[in-house]
Amino acid sequence: MKNLNKALALIVAIAMVASFGTISALAAFPDVPSDASYAEAANLLNELGILTGDENGNFNPDKTLTRAEAAALIVRTLGMESAAVASAGATSFSDVPADNWAAGYVNVAEQQGIINGMGDGTFNPSGELTYEQIIKIIVAAIGYTPRANVSGGYPSGYLLIASQTGITRGATGTTGQPVARSTVARLIYNALEVEMMEQTSFVAGQGTTYATNGKTILTDCLGKYKVNAIVTDTYTFSQNVSSGKVTLYLDDDVEDRFENIVYDGETDLTFDVGGTNADAYLGYAVVAYVGEDDDTGNDTIYAISPRTARNNTLTIAADEFYPGGNDEDDNKIGYYDANDKAKTLKINTEEDIIIVLNGEEAYNYDIADLYDIENTILENGGTAMFLDNDNDNEYEYVFFYTIASGDEFVVTSIDEEEFSIEGDPDGYIAYDFDDDDASYVFYKNNVKASFSDIEVGDLVSLVRNDGSETIVTTYISSVTVEGTVSDRSSDSGSYTYTINGQDYKLSDAYDSDEIAAGDEGIFYINYLGKIAYTESTSTNSASGAYAFALSVYQKSVDDASFDDNSYGIRMVLENGSVVKKDFASKIKVVSYDESDRKFTTSSRRNTEDILGTYFEIGDDFQVFDPTAEKQTQGLIKYEVNTSDQIDVIYIANNASGGSVSEPATNASGSFAVYKNMLDNTTRSYSKSKDSIQNVYFGTDTIVFNIKLEDGAVTDEGDVSVSTTARSFKDDSVYQFIAYDGYGNNSIAKAVVALDSGASNVDAESNVFVVSNVSETSVDGSSATKLTGYISGSETSYIIYDDEEDVDFTDVYGNADAYSESDLMRGQVLIVSVAASGYVDGIQVLVDLGTTDTSEASIDLFAESIPTAEGDDSDVVLHEGDDATNVYGQFAEKNSNRINLYCDSTDNIEDLDGSYVPSIFNTDYDGFEDFLTSASGVNFYLVDFSGSRISVKSTSSPFTTSTVRNDDDIRVPKYPQGVYVRYYEDDDMKDVVVFKFAEI
């Protein structure tokens, strides 16, 4: 339940909206952000036929409006499109000829007294319209010209009227400046429901009187009505309404409002969905624009969207339900939120909850029946969305969605004559559009669509409402993510995959065994935002500028690629992979001459001749000797030709010791020893400076770590590649050769470090509290990733068996007490990292023994905390050479002291069963007050109180509220175990609290 950029935003929109039938109501312009202040206005005016997009469907919100466009816009707003068509032809303006596209609009606008010419016989159709000019046009269109004239005339009188009537509400514009289309859209939108003004009387000698008449542009010019309603039925939901229709439960105030649609005083009315997706809003409180369709005569919805601040939704996947939180008496459902916290939602009990299964009616169920449906979803996989449509925090609807195996696939072919599609894996459907009983609905990327919108390469998800071919909702997604699965973690049996830093779950119809950490490819994301299909891409075959040569060998005559000059090299690349690469038939060598401080490049010669000059040729591993006359094992640089054969190789100068002066000619691609410190026995690594003596490293410095046996690398796994930060430990001494960083205080580009090897678990290290154990990938191979907290910060460690053998010990130092399979969330460890950057040692200090919180022991000594044999005391001290581990049960916290349950007279002996809270501050072998809270202590909380373990670093881990137990003694409301890591000199660094279920 966690975490793209633009692609992720779309996926979230699909998952939260499209997946449960709540699609964006208005056909949005692609260049209008959904959260723009003018978005609703622009989209509604488009639905009403007032505003149109360009040839690409774009609204162009920042584009200014011309006078001709303004004429067309206001005429459409007044519902006079047909009059404009009839009025096309000659105009009274010299610059608007009869064949001008806007001639009819200009004539109607002039006849209505809305837009006048320039006073010189011209109209200036392409001239930009200013803010005050569009205000004047709109005010005149609704009949307020007389009032504007007596209020100051143009422009101040018109601006005043626009402000008083709310026309300018939310619109931005500046007088004298061209007006943007986005501003115009908001102004007209505001004017739709302003009462129009008309002449009421004329008396000679007394003048004309005007008054508002209750009419509006929306109702009387466009014949549309704005209503608030709840969608109570749709043609895909039940058999009660005909195909293509929905039922709206209207607010009571609609009586006598309608003139040209059927209304019999009932609060339920049925409408055609028209071009909208009204059928997607089952259960929602909506605002709809309705009217009579001129062609069909049917009552029709022209636009629809959810009412602001009325609809609350909560989406719960099958693996996010928490049955332990269900409470039938209080009508509650248990679930986990985005932070994996156990919570509950409440069902509205005034009426039976409406349950929708795959978009189809499932009758009304009470809370008990809902639990049965929930169990089915839990068993078969699926997702539920709960809907509260009156903002009272009680849910009236729940939508369950499941997809059967085979009903989700990537389209590989489309038959437009048979209206069928098929794809991988094994997907097929044919749509029978001639079947009157069939109902097909299509959505693509959050927008209502049709069969023609399906394209090869799209992912389709088929929700079959009745399990047949007759009622099908097709969700189409063109969203893909290309990358590598860097992490795979499991929680309650559900996998989460991390790709490009974002987390995804698998579709319920997908086999989780088919994706592993390290898999690289294209991942197809379905309408729920889940991975539904994968397509592999090529594996990593990149070669680096640097490589560690293991051996140079002559290829066998039996090798199919053998020729007279057939040689190869086995080497470790910068990415850590081991490869064999062929030499070209002719190569050249770039080498460094220390005496001349110059790089020399040999002529391109036969490989056999030139390799023998610089390398010892042999199939087997050779001795590492950087001072040898000929290159054996060691660092090189290389270039390849178009056939991926090495045709240029760089050889460093013989590393006889000391430093190397900056070359007189530092040619591009040069390669030389910067500092030889193979005999280093005293100079240690400084983490803060990232240096050893005056040899400096950087974030881009590549470290080849090598282990030697009898002076040679005897196994390819003895060479690993990392960074200095992962290879070197602070204040530790290393032998190494640094390359390409000439002169003092320069940063080395590459390093070969010898026998940096495994390092033992450091008893003085801070503890590591595990928050997650997952599978990850290293160079295409599987590895284990430990995530958790150390020194108060979150970090991760990698266990990579291909590189390091991990030594496991218990708190007493006993070897082989644990293995990698025993690692789990909530454990307390000390972790050692080798020079390779991978874990080489783990000491388990606290092992809870189970991830099932229902089985977690309240008594931390019941097979969960390692204790000395036969020790039954409440407080356990384990003394090590450098640290003491303290295990106990929390009683209370006074001031800066942590109080544990222990015997009041003998803190360490067996107890007689009476538990008396007391401060554990008695001297014990010279240790006094070692449970005193001090500054700089790292506190962690391992929470078992729900059915999932959560781990966090916190300054307040203790729950101090109390209850009375069976013996009428006040005890902590939540039983809590305590682990304390105590060091010499009264130094307490780490405290881990384990919180269990409430008593």
Side-chain angles (χ1 to χ4, degrees), residues 339-341 769-771 789 825-826 853 940-952 993 995:
N339 297 314
D340 278 347
K341 293 296 184 183
V769 186
V770 182
S771 63
Y789 295 91
R825 183 179 302 182
T853 58
Y940 308 96
L941 176 62
V942 180
D943 193 347
F944 275 80
S945 60
S947 64
R948 293 183 180 181
I949 304 173
S950 65
V951 180
K952 65 179 180 179
V993 177
K995 175 182 175 182

Side-chain angles (χ1 to χ4, degrees), residues 723-982:
T723 63
T724 54
R726 299 292 298 272
S727 301
F728 299 153
K729 290 188 176 182
D730 205 21
D731 297 327
S732 297
V733 175
Y734 298 95
Q735 289 75 44
F736 64 95
I737 306 174
Y739 295 82
D740 289 353
Y742 313 105
N744 290 334
N745 303 325
S746 296
I747 296 177
K749 294 181 180 179
V751 173
V752 173
L754 306 186
D755 290 321
S756 50
S759 55
N760 295 325
V761 171
D762 184 355
E764 294 187 355
S765 296
N766 283 89
V767 302
F768 176 70
V769 186
V770 182
S771 63
N772 194 38
V773 181
S774 61
E775 176 190 338
T776 188
S777 172
V778 177
D779 301 329
S781 298
S782 177
T784 299
K785 181 179 179 181
L786 293 179
T787 304
Y789 295 91
I790 185 169
S791 300
S793 300
E794 188 173 33
T795 190
S796 295
Y797 296 107
I798 303 297
I799 300 175
Y800 187 30
D801 295 335
D802 290 353
E803 289 293 338
E804 300 291 346
D805 294 326
V806 181
D807 296 325
F808 283 88
T809 58
D810 63 12
V811 68
Y812 304 105
N814 297 323
D816 302 324
Y818 298 94
S819 66
E820 193 171 327
S821 61
D822 295 319
L823 295 172
M824 65 183 67
R825 183 179 302 182
Q827 286 177 322
V828 180
L829 316 173
I830 292 182
V831 178
S832 168
V833 178
S836 64
Y838 303 111
V839 174
D840 66 343
I842 291 178
Q843 184 179 31
V844 180
L845 302 177
V846 177
D847 176 25
L848 296 175
T850 178
T851 58
D852 185 348
T853 58
S854 64
E855 297 180 3
S857 174
I858 292 177
D859 179 2
L860 285 184
F861 303 131
E863 300 180 0
S864 57
I865 296 295
T867 63
E869 184 176 357
D871 189 350
D872 297 324
S873 61
D874 284 286
V875 176
V876 176
L877 302 179
H878 169 259
E879 295 181 73
D881 294 335
D882 300 292
T884 297
N885 303 293
V886 182
Y887 306 86
Q889 293 189 46
F890 171 70
E892 59 184 2
K893 189 174 186 293
N894 293 331
S895 184
N896 63 346
R897 294 176 184 242
I898 303 167
N899 301 299
L900 304 183
Y901 285 118
C902 61
D903 185 81
S904 59
T905 57
D906 193 343
N907 295 315
I908 207 63
E909 297 297 326
D910 292 349
L911 299 179
D912 60 4
S914 61
Y915 290 78
V916 180
S918 65
I919 298 175
F920 191 85
N921 62 353
T922 303
D923 286 352
Y924 178 73
D925 288 349
F927 299 144
E928 183 177 5
D929 294 341
F930 61 84
L931 289 182
T932 298
S933 181
S935 61
V937 175
N938 304 303
F939 288 97
Y940 308 96
L941 176 62
V942 180
D943 193 347
F944 275 80
S945 60
S947 64
R948 293 183 180 181
I949 304 173
S950 65
V951 180
K952 65 179 180 179
S953 173
T954 176
S955 60
S956 303
F958 296 99
T959 304
T960 56
S961 59
T962 61
V963 296
R964 291 188 178 275
N965 63 14
D966 294 340
D967 297 323
D968 201 31
I969 297 175
R970 285 205 167 274
V971 296
K973 182 177 181 180
Y974 291 89
Q976 293 153 88
V978 181
Y979 166 81
V980 183
R981 181 82 166 168
Y982 169 71

